[in-house]
Amino acid sequence: MKFSIHDIARLSGASLVSFCDTDETVTQIFYDTRRINQSKGGLFVALKGDNSDGHDFIEEAYNKGIRNFLIEDEVPFVANDTNILQCENTLLALGAWAKNHRENFDIPLVMITGSYGKTSIKEWAFHFLSAKYSCLKSPKSYNSKIGVALSLLKLNPYHEIALIEAGISMPDEMQYLLDMCAPSCVLLSNIGGAHLENFESAEELKKEKLIALSGKTQKISTQRILDENGISGLSYYPNEKYEALAPFDSDWKNKNYLAAVALAELYEISVEEIASRTKNLPQIAHRLERLEGINGSVILNDSYILDADSLSIAISDFEALNPKRSFLVLSDMDKANESSYKTIEQTVRQKKWDGIYVLGGAMTSNLHKLGIHSFAHPQQIINDLKKKLQKGDGILIKGARKFELERVARALADVKHKTYLEVNLSQLGRNLKLCKEKLAPKTKVMAMVKAFAYGSGSGELAQYLEKGGVDYFGVAFSDEGKNLRESGITKPIMVLNSSNESFETIWEYKLEPAIFSMDVLDSFIRFCIDKGAQSYPIHLEFDTGMHRLGFEVSQAQEIVELIHAQPEVKIASVFTHLAASDSPKEDAFTRQQISKFEKVSDYIKAQFPYPIAAHCANSAAAARFKSASFDMVRLGISLYGYNPFTPELKAISQLHSSLTQIKKLNPGDSVGYDRAFIADKETLIGILPIGYADGFNRNLSQGVGEVYANGKFYPVVGNVCMDMCMIEIDDTITTETEFEIFGPHISLINLAEKMGTIPYEVLTSISSRVKRVFVEA
């Protein structure tokens, strides 16, 4: 994306009311100040919504370095370094800009629309078509009026075909998006429910340039709509040879697959290529998650989105489980009118429910005739269902993300592995607040969530930390950053270990690489040139004494000269790693590192006109060396509650387990491998399902380790095994007794000392098969 200010004025129809001397090229569009991750080349669009007005955030965008603005209202200020475009309606101006930009490209454009399955069809069609074409596709599920416009503005001369996902939520919206996209064809996914009127009202559906592919829906088939409008289209199923390739058990997934295949066939992708690419078809995340529930129940969980159409499909999937009794858990919708709730009511009425649990006033008032149970908090739903659920029961959970119905799903899920890690998100928030209070107000915080957030669960913790106001996230590898983005994280993410193999993931998920050598810098610049990038943010790592990764300080001038010559990248930050900030005996060395870093960071920052952050402090340095805080600190172990230099912090996690079996030993009986324990009297032992594969180290064998329950400590006997360990118990213990592996009575620090390691290793060694349970208290 590269547009001059005058280009934008011409294409959007906006008036240029303020123009600075430099006609800066716009390479990035922002409409949410929370997502501003670069200032150079950024344009802020002040959109007006039902609950917010972007004009209220213009000053914040300016303070974050944005100098280009598209606005509606009177100019709030005129600075001599701003370009201000004014129009009657910023959303319509953005659409006009995208529409006029689209007209510059005489390439096939497929608009993929419908009620459900759009993203799957788009991603799979891209998978097939990219075998032959350079394709543009909408990012993720960018399908609103804003998202479609932003997708179209990514069109470049090298694209040969475009796949644009379009969501139709209002009767006039399809016509608007058709005009904007000027599609070569429109591919319809399944449509039904409230969406029918939106499609039937579109006069453009009568044009024979459309192909339509769909199966039967809740009320009416797409084919009937097409027939009534005189539209000739492809059959949904191209032919039997493709049906045989359909790889899924789910009927609706196979329909989406075959729609993508039909599109590939239309653009002359061979049968052989389609068959070959089907073998490594990308997995598209489906929100409906199946969980084994307590007491032999089963849960279908989609606690992130709710509308009538997705509810109808979810109910269909739920009925396939053939539950003995059926329970439905619903929240209010994010944005809905009375008609939407009426459609929800009709959808719910189609099935007999043994209990309907509702969270939210709007849903309660619309479904009150159905004999619902209305609650004010997810915990109340949990408490009631825990009393009722029996073997064979089924629970369908559908809700908007903000109502946190995922807590219901987690609480009702059965923990097959009896060992679980409890993570207290509220304590995480308190630790973050405490750490921030000790910093200067302008000092930013990068939360280190590498290694699965130190074993605690990166997605869940990052979501909570983002709400808590961290400025950056740090990960070790690009796949960790990808996982955060797929969890909904929007804040900037720095990737510490960047390599050629990771650049594509970094680019796709808007991650920011740490660059530590000239080879990596050269490679990434070349990559950015190929992508047509401008001012892509990078982080420069300098080696000031760690002697791990990093440029030599003596290379600073060479780096500056190279980056000055390469507009494809910009420096977001300069940083280093302190080798011994937690070791008082090495304080002289640490101060030497800080001094060396201050000199090189000051030099780098002085060479560029834009702000560059400097950071070197980890948790220990942030607590012990005020001079090390600079512009940002990297908090890791402090967030998890284990920084000895900040004793006010509290641990956020506890590891628990319960016995799988109890055995009685006679004198002379031995326990475990190598007969490392031999009973000298009658002895009771319990078998805990946790071993060194779960992070319970083998060094804890033969009485070194112990666990806690009922006010007592119980020692490990024999050798710790891969999947279990044995403890000596008394007759007060049953298989229902819960043991603390670490927590309030057994500190992680003491446990780490017994293992001969550090808390970091204990946390990161906890196996992924150990369930993470997240609580707020």
Short mmCIF file of all heavy atoms in Angstrom, two decimals, residues 7 176 298 677:
data_model
loop_
_atom_site.label_atom_id
_atom_site.label_comp_id
_atom_site.label_asym_id
_atom_site.label_seq_id
_atom_site.Cartn_x
_atom_site.Cartn_y
_atom_site.Cartn_z
N ASP A 7 -3.04 11.73 -3.93
CA ASP A 7 -3.74 10.56 -4.47
C ASP A 7 -4.98 10.23 -3.64
O ASP A 7 -6.06 9.95 -4.17
CB ASP A 7 -2.81 9.33 -4.48
CG ASP A 7 -1.78 9.38 -5.58
OD1 ASP A 7 -1.98 10.14 -6.56
OD2 ASP A 7 -0.76 8.68 -5.47
N TYR A 176 -23.76 -1.96 -1.75
CA TYR A 176 -22.61 -1.08 -1.47
C TYR A 176 -21.29 -1.80 -1.72
O TYR A 176 -20.38 -1.26 -2.37
CB TYR A 176 -22.70 -0.60 -0.02
CG TYR A 176 -21.53 0.25 0.44
CD1 TYR A 176 -21.48 1.61 0.20
CD2 TYR A 176 -20.46 -0.33 1.12
CE1 TYR A 176 -20.42 2.39 0.62
CE2 TYR A 176 -19.38 0.43 1.55
CZ TYR A 176 -19.37 1.79 1.29
OH TYR A 176 -18.31 2.55 1.70
N VAL A 298 -20.98 -33.89 27.83
CA VAL A 298 -20.18 -33.40 26.71
C VAL A 298 -20.54 -31.95 26.46
O VAL A 298 -21.71 -31.55 26.61
CB VAL A 298 -20.40 -34.26 25.44
CG1 VAL A 298 -21.83 -34.17 24.95
CG2 VAL A 298 -19.43 -33.87 24.33
N PHE A 677 13.12 -47.90 46.83
CA PHE A 677 12.53 -47.84 48.18
C PHE A 677 12.07 -49.23 48.57
O PHE A 677 11.37 -49.90 47.81
CB PHE A 677 11.35 -46.87 48.22
CG PHE A 677 10.62 -46.85 49.53
CD1 PHE A 677 11.09 -46.08 50.59
CD2 PHE A 677 9.47 -47.61 49.72
CE1 PHE A 677 10.42 -46.06 51.81
CE2 PHE A 677 8.79 -47.60 50.94
CZ PHE A 677 9.26 -46.82 51.98
#
